[in-house]
Tab-separated table of all heavy atoms in Angstrom:
chain	number	residue	atom	x	y	z
A	21	LYS	N	122.306	183.670	88.484
A	21	LYS	CA	123.184	182.796	87.669
A	21	LYS	C	123.818	183.600	86.539
A	21	LYS	O	123.208	184.566	86.060
A	21	LYS	CB	122.405	181.625	87.070
A	21	LYS	CG	122.104	180.534	88.028
A	21	LYS	CD	121.526	179.333	87.364
A	21	LYS	CE	121.303	178.248	88.347
A	21	LYS	NZ	120.796	177.037	87.703
A	22	TYR	N	125.001	183.204	86.148
A	22	TYR	CA	125.702	183.932	85.058
A	22	TYR	C	124.995	183.785	83.757
A	22	TYR	O	125.168	184.616	82.878
A	22	TYR	CB	127.135	183.434	84.968
A	22	TYR	CG	128.096	184.421	85.677
A	22	TYR	CD1	128.098	184.548	87.059
A	22	TYR	CD2	129.015	185.158	84.920
A	22	TYR	CE1	128.959	185.401	87.664
A	22	TYR	CE2	129.867	186.042	85.560
A	22	TYR	CZ	129.827	186.156	86.936
A	22	TYR	OH	130.694	187.017	87.581
A	23	LYS	N	124.190	182.757	83.550
A	23	LYS	CA	123.431	182.575	82.312
A	23	LYS	C	122.479	183.769	82.121
A	23	LYS	O	122.425	184.379	81.046
A	23	LYS	CB	122.697	181.263	82.327
A	23	LYS	CG	121.964	180.993	81.028
A	23	LYS	CD	121.399	179.596	81.035
A	23	LYS	CE	120.813	179.283	79.636
A	23	LYS	NZ	120.380	177.915	79.564
A	24	THR	N	121.699	184.126	83.134
A	24	THR	CA	120.772	185.231	83.049
A	24	THR	C	121.526	186.579	83.050
A	24	THR	O	121.137	187.465	82.372
A	24	THR	CB	119.755	185.209	84.169
A	24	THR	OG1	120.435	185.268	85.440
A	24	THR	CG2	118.926	183.926	84.152
A	25	LEU	N	122.607	186.639	83.763
A	25	LEU	CA	123.389	187.845	83.843
A	25	LEU	C	124.040	188.126	82.504
A	25	LEU	O	124.070	189.305	82.049
A	25	LEU	CB	124.460	187.726	84.916
A	25	LEU	CG	124.977	189.025	85.539
A	25	LEU	CD1	123.868	189.820	86.175
A	25	LEU	CD2	126.035	188.693	86.584
A	26	MET	N	124.482	187.148	81.804
A	26	MET	CA	125.117	187.332	80.465
A	26	MET	C	124.056	187.745	79.462
A	26	MET	O	124.379	188.460	78.499
A	26	MET	CB	125.793	186.031	80.019
A	26	MET	CG	127.099	185.759	80.715
A	26	MET	SD	128.358	187.002	80.453
A	26	MET	CE	128.655	186.791	78.704
A	27	GLN	N	122.838	187.287	79.560
A	27	GLN	CA	121.811	187.674	78.602
A	27	GLN	C	121.354	189.102	78.849
A	27	GLN	O	121.026	189.818	77.905
A	27	GLN	CB	120.601	186.738	78.742
A	27	GLN	CG	120.899	185.346	78.289
A	27	GLN	CD	119.791	184.359	78.598
A	27	GLN	OE1	118.876	184.722	79.353
A	27	GLN	NE2	119.849	183.165	78.119
A	28	GLU	N	121.314	189.520	80.102
A	28	GLU	CA	120.789	190.843	80.443
A	28	GLU	C	121.844	191.917	80.479
A	28	GLU	O	121.649	193.017	79.917
A	28	GLU	CB	120.006	190.793	81.743
A	28	GLU	CG	118.793	189.871	81.743
A	28	GLU	CD	118.226	189.632	83.057
A	28	GLU	OE1	118.690	190.253	84.088
A	28	GLU	OE2	117.294	188.817	83.200
A	29	LYS	N	122.938	191.663	81.201
A	29	LYS	CA	123.979	192.673	81.394
A	29	LYS	C	125.368	192.154	81.198
A	29	LYS	O	126.179	191.992	82.141
A	29	LYS	CB	123.851	193.210	82.876
A	29	LYS	CG	122.577	193.883	83.186
A	29	LYS	CD	122.672	194.605	84.507
A	29	LYS	CE	122.351	193.703	85.666
A	29	LYS	NZ	122.243	194.347	86.924
A	30	SER	N	125.661	191.816	79.960
A	30	SER	CA	127.001	191.246	79.643
A	30	SER	C	128.110	192.249	79.830
A	30	SER	O	129.257	191.902	80.113
A	30	SER	CB	127.044	190.613	78.281
A	30	SER	OG	126.810	191.621	77.299
A	31	ASP	N	127.827	193.533	79.655
A	31	ASP	CA	128.797	194.577	79.864
A	31	ASP	C	129.190	194.695	81.353
A	31	ASP	O	130.343	194.906	81.704
A	31	ASP	CB	128.339	195.945	79.287
A	31	ASP	CG	126.964	196.270	79.789
A	31	ASP	OD1	126.250	195.396	80.293
A	31	ASP	OD2	126.561	197.477	79.633
A	32	PHE	N	128.243	194.518	82.231
A	32	PHE	CA	128.483	194.542	83.662
A	32	PHE	C	129.355	193.341	84.058
A	32	PHE	O	130.235	193.474	84.910
A	32	PHE	CB	127.140	194.477	84.437
A	32	PHE	CG	127.327	194.352	85.913
A	32	PHE	CD1	127.843	195.382	86.689
A	32	PHE	CD2	126.993	193.122	86.556
A	32	PHE	CE1	127.985	195.230	88.033
A	32	PHE	CE2	127.174	192.999	87.915
A	32	PHE	CZ	127.663	194.035	88.661
A	33	VAL	N	129.141	192.207	83.431
A	33	VAL	CA	129.922	190.981	83.731
A	33	VAL	C	131.380	191.233	83.349
A	33	VAL	O	132.297	190.892	84.131
A	33	VAL	CB	129.372	189.760	83.022
A	33	VAL	CG1	130.269	188.542	83.191
A	33	VAL	CG2	127.999	189.399	83.550
A	34	MET	N	131.600	191.836	82.220
A	34	MET	CA	132.944	192.131	81.812
A	34	MET	C	133.662	193.140	82.690
A	34	MET	O	134.801	192.978	83.024
A	34	MET	CB	133.020	192.609	80.350
A	34	MET	CG	134.365	192.862	79.784
A	34	MET	SD	135.394	191.413	79.734
A	34	MET	CE	134.658	190.522	78.382
A	35	THR	N	132.929	194.164	83.104
A	35	THR	CA	133.498	195.187	83.981
A	35	THR	C	133.833	194.553	85.326
A	35	THR	O	134.881	194.850	85.901
A	35	THR	CB	132.466	196.315	84.204
A	35	THR	OG1	132.092	196.835	82.907
A	35	THR	CG2	133.068	197.422	85.024
A	36	LEU	N	132.997	193.644	85.780
A	36	LEU	CA	133.228	192.952	87.060
A	36	LEU	C	134.500	192.076	86.981
A	36	LEU	O	135.312	192.050	87.952
A	36	LEU	CB	132.027	192.135	87.387
A	36	LEU	CG	131.842	191.636	88.860
A	36	LEU	CD1	131.648	192.761	89.762
A	36	LEU	CD2	130.692	190.644	88.932
A	37	ALA	N	134.707	191.403	85.823
A	37	ALA	CA	135.819	190.554	85.653
A	37	ALA	C	137.141	191.417	85.637
A	37	ALA	O	138.178	191.003	86.243
A	37	ALA	CB	135.688	189.739	84.395
A	38	VAL	N	137.119	192.527	84.949
A	38	VAL	CA	138.272	193.409	84.838
A	38	VAL	C	138.540	194.012	86.222
A	38	VAL	O	139.706	194.115	86.673
A	38	VAL	CB	138.071	194.480	83.807
A	38	VAL	CG1	139.209	195.502	83.814
A	38	VAL	CG2	137.979	193.861	82.421
A	39	LYS	N	137.497	194.391	86.948
A	39	LYS	CA	137.637	195.017	88.243
A	39	LYS	C	138.329	194.041	89.260
A	39	LYS	O	139.132	194.484	90.090
A	39	LYS	CB	136.309	195.424	88.810
A	39	LYS	CG	136.341	196.072	90.150
A	39	LYS	CD	134.957	196.480	90.633
A	39	LYS	CE	135.052	197.101	91.982
A	39	LYS	NZ	133.700	197.394	92.509
A	40	GLY	N	138.055	192.760	89.107
A	40	GLY	CA	138.693	191.810	89.977
A	40	GLY	C	140.154	191.577	89.693
A	40	GLY	O	140.862	190.955	90.485
A	41	MET	N	140.637	192.064	88.551
A	41	MET	CA	142.061	191.817	88.195
A	41	MET	C	142.939	193.059	88.359
A	41	MET	O	144.106	193.013	87.969
A	41	MET	CB	142.097	191.347	86.759
A	41	MET	CG	141.433	189.994	86.586
A	41	MET	SD	141.584	189.384	84.998
A	41	MET	CE	140.557	187.970	85.118
A	42	ILE	N	142.418	194.151	88.846
A	42	ILE	CA	143.242	195.325	89.151
A	42	ILE	C	143.243	195.551	90.656
A	42	ILE	O	142.353	194.990	91.390
A	42	ILE	CB	142.719	196.612	88.400
A	42	ILE	CG1	141.314	196.918	88.802
A	42	ILE	CG2	142.822	196.441	86.916
A	42	ILE	CD1	140.836	198.237	88.253
A	43	PRO	N	144.231	196.255	91.154
A	43	PRO	CA	144.344	196.408	92.623
A	43	PRO	C	143.134	197.124	93.246
A	43	PRO	O	142.541	197.990	92.638
A	43	PRO	CB	145.588	197.262	92.789
A	43	PRO	CG	146.317	197.210	91.529
A	43	PRO	CD	145.313	196.885	90.452
A	44	ASP	N	142.825	196.788	94.505
A	44	ASP	CA	141.746	197.411	95.204
A	44	ASP	C	142.244	198.633	95.981
A	44	ASP	O	142.189	198.713	97.201
A	44	ASP	CB	141.119	196.433	96.235
A	44	ASP	CG	140.446	195.270	95.538
A	44	ASP	OD1	139.951	195.463	94.422
A	44	ASP	OD2	140.453	194.162	96.095
């Protein structure tokens, strides 16, 4: 769940969100 992910690795969540918005 994003609740536990935000508590443990919030920098990874942000990187994942940015990665989804640039071309593959």
Side-chain angles (χ1 to χ4, degrees):
K21 284 189 177 182
Y22 260 67
K23 184 174 187 173
T24 58
L25 204 59
M26 286 297 294
Q27 291 170 352
E28 296 169 6
K29 297 191 273 186
S30 63
D31 50 345
F32 173 73
V33 173
M34 183 61 74
T35 306
L36 196 66
V38 173
K39 182 180 178 183
M41 295 183 187
I42 60 172
D44 295 329

